[in-house]
Amino acid sequence: PTPAEDDSTTLELAGLELSRRDFVKAGAATGAMAGLAGCSGNIGGGSNNTTSSPSGSSTPDHKVAPGEHDEYYGFWSGGQSGEIRVIGIPSMRELMRVPVFNTEAGRGYGYDDQTTEMLEEAGDLTWGDNHHPVLSETDGDYDGEYLWVNDKANGRIARVNLKYFETDAITNVPNTQAIHGCSVQSPDTGYVFGNGEFRTPLPNDGRDLDNPDEYVSLFSAIDPETMETEWQVKVDGNLDIVDTDKDGRWAISSAYNDEGGVTVSEMTRDDRDFVKAFDVPAIEEAVEAGEYEEVNGVPVVDGTQDSSLNQGDSPIVRYIPTPKSPHCVEVGPNGDYAFVAGKLSPTVTIIDIDALDSSSDPEDVVAGRPKVGLGPLHTTFDGNGHAYTSLFIDSQAVKWDIEAAVEAEQGSTDPVIEKQDVHYNPGHIQAVEAMTTDPDGEWLVSLNKLSKDRFLPVGPIHPDNDQLIHIGQGEKEMELVADHPAYPEPHDCVFAHRDKLDPATTWDKSDYEGEKEFVTQENSRVERTGERSVDVKTSSMRSEYGLKDFTVKEGDEVTLTVTNIEGVRDVIHGVAIPDHDVHLSIAPQDTREATFTADEPGVYWIYCTYFCSALHLEMRSRMLVEPR
Ligand code: CUK
Ligand code: CUA
């Protein structure tokens, strides 16, 4: 050991014991100090027993050679950027971005009629805050068809079609203001579940404005195909995150503020809050039996603790006590346990899922409560009996043994195997395929909220730092292998082995037949449809549009339809019209439309924005707008 590692000098800092070695490992001491000062104020207890990453082992190779492919697709939520990012694992290279709640000119999203209408119908908002991407499942495994993600800012859930890596539906979930947790029913995606986090009056139409006792938060079940909200359940407290068991029965939500408060001190008054375990078949029965109130077209079932549906032996929602204000809940790969990270408590509460059905005392379903470190937020799994929990305050990932934690006394630190420093303040932590029944357990990503000193400074707004950690080395030895700056602000990610996806390389025009015309070079044309409206239809190919020019009249509403008639992959054509805020991005065999008003007479050079051939610059058309 080096002298630094031998040094057992400790510093008392903001109530935490910290060895000098921790400062050395954390990089700039000022960074570590600032982190602790910012985070540890009102949370005491626990010690910081860091172990270092192994010094003698060789770094696992996460580099992917030029021309080689990554083994996994990673789908990152983009937080307040509103988008999903596709990142290859283990290289951490960003492969693509999929705009969801935002508009994005690079892909023409929010610029063509189809996506603009979808965004308008979903509330006509320009951004969203997406946190939890989840993948569709068949038989407990990813089937590569869809991804869903929540919008915490606006109570919406969107669906991304993984054939085209495009958002194809957004639903504005009735009666909710913030959808936070988002999960799919497993083993088959019968529902997409969304947790309404903020408590509001029901309906929120001006009644009960300052009567918080009447506010509710709603758990919503959405049909994955139609994206309609099938039913909702109102509960006490604020719902936070949700995960599902592996048998299609339980959806388990973390929750806080069972006090029903509206200020921080009111929300954290009591020492306990209650996880809500939703018995999905029992709720379906209640809906079937008409035991609901319809609000804004959705059956709302009463799942509050005092509801008659919660009395007796088979309550529709089970209330399980946890230390107050926990954060996430994740279900382990074999479906035995749900893990509720304590946040304010240095523990993880392990819930025995089978016991939800068999025991009437809610305390009995708590199978263990290991003490893992300060600020536990999220847990992930390697499929080898280990859990990995992010420690926001300690800035660490902690690996611990699940069965040992079940055997141990509550509050024991014995199940802890190893801790790995991360930089800094992790939120979610995800291992590859951890949400399936059979995780691969080789790589883990820690999504760290603060990067502080890890990158070249780029002004006062810093990127996040997503760190890749190798975990495939048996009992011990997590090893940090890469830093990856991330644009604000990923919350969670999900990984699928590349074999589980089958993205299209060109569009299949039968997917939009009947909605949009496939315009060939021969039938490119201008059609006047009214005194002030005109349809313009044109093909595009290297290096020309079907129409070399077209004429419209001042004030015309123009509907421009453009097909990319190329049959080969990766030859994209764009359509830009100066001064008209029009941009289309058209993949091979796809057709896009844009409707706009030609309100100023003159000549407008339409051009292609994708560098598609040596004559790309010459790929143009003219819009001639005649004075009226
Ligand atoms: S939440 Cu962000 S770090 Cu929305 Cu999953 Cu925990
Ligand atoms: Cu088509 Cu450039």
Side-chain angles (χ1 to χ4, degrees), residues 518-593:
F518 186 93
V519 185
T520 61
Q521 208 166 6
E522 296 71 48
N523 65 10
S524 296
R525 63 198 188 276
V526 180
E527 280 170 2
R528 181 150 290 278
T529 53
E531 174 57 26
R532 283 178 175 269
S533 60
V534 61
D535 285 353
V536 178
K537 296 174 192 285
T538 181
S539 62
S540 60
M541 60 182 277
R542 281 161 293 176
S543 298
E544 58 186 10
Y545 295 105
L547 295 175
K548 307 296 170 279
D549 56 56
F550 58 87
T551 303
V552 299
K553 284 207 175 73
E554 176 187 355
D556 273 347
E557 186 184 79
V558 181
T559 299
L560 177 67
T561 305
V562 186
T563 297
N564 178 346
I565 60 174
E566 307 271 1
V568 291
R569 70 180 171 194
D570 203 14
V571 180
I572 322 296
H573 297 296
V575 175
I577 309 181
D579 305 331
H580 287 76
D581 207 25
V582 170
H583 182 240
L584 299 177
S585 167
I586 316 157
Q589 300 288 300
D590 192 13
T591 298
R592 296 282 156 160
E593 295 179 327

Side-chain angles (χ1 to χ4, degrees), residues 572-573 608 610 612 616 619:
I572 322 296
H573 297 296
C608 171
Y610 275 79
C612 53
H616 153 77
M619 182 169 173

Side-chain angles (χ1 to χ4, degrees), residues 233-269:
V233 183
K234 67 176 174 187
V235 293
D236 299 319
N238 292 56
L239 293 170
D240 199 356
I241 320 283
V242 57
D243 200 4
T244 54
D245 72 352
K246 306 295 182 189
D247 302 313
R249 172 148 183 204
W250 298 98
I252 303 167
S253 294
S254 54
Y256 60 97
N257 187 28
D258 270 80
E259 297 87 339
V262 293
T263 62
V264 177
S265 57
E266 287 169 11
M267 291 184 193
T268 53
R269 187 190 61 217

Side-chain angles (χ1 to χ4, degrees), residues 77 129-132 150 152 179-181 197 240-241 327-328 330 377-378 390 392 425-429 447 449 489-492:
S77 65
D129 185 9
N130 65 14
H131 285 212
H132 300 112
N150 69 299
K152 169 158 164 152
I179 296 274
H180 191 194
E197 180 170 356
D240 199 356
I241 320 283
H327 188 49
C328 202
E330 279 102 1
L377 290 189
H378 292 278
S390 59
F392 182 81
N425 306 93
H428 274 270
I429 184 172
L447 280 69
K449 298 298 185 184
E489 160 178 328
H491 282 256
D492 195 6

Side-chain angles (χ1 to χ4, degrees), residues 194-218:
N195 267 359
E197 180 170 356
F198 298 157
R199 300 169 67 246
T200 55
L202 178 71
N204 191 14
D205 59 359
R207 72 186 69 190
D208 294 321
L209 289 182
D210 202 18
N211 187 11
D213 288 348
E214 292 299 315
Y215 297 178
V216 295
S217 96
L218 292 175

Side-chain angles (χ1 to χ4, degrees), residues 260-342:
V262 293
T263 62
V264 177
S265 57
E266 287 169 11
M267 291 184 193
T268 53
R269 187 190 61 217
D270 300 340
D271 285 335
R272 296 199 307 185
D273 275 304
F274 293 89
V275 159
K276 278 79 182 174
F278 296 90
D279 186 341
V280 174
I283 295 162
E284 288 172 326
E285 268 173 47
V287 173
E288 193 71 20
E291 294 175 278
Y292 60 81
E293 164 198 12
E294 190 170 310
V295 185
N296 287 319
V298 181
V300 179
V301 181
D302 187 353
T304 54
Q305 212 160 0
D306 294 338
S307 158
S308 60
L309 292 169
N310 277 338
Q311 312 311 317
D313 288 342
S314 44
I316 61 165
V317 184
R318 296 206 167 235
Y319 283 63
I320 302 141
T322 62
K324 70 173 162 192
S325 299
H327 188 49
C328 202
V329 57
E330 279 102 1
V331 171
N334 58 16
D336 289 353
Y337 303 118
F339 300 82
V340 183

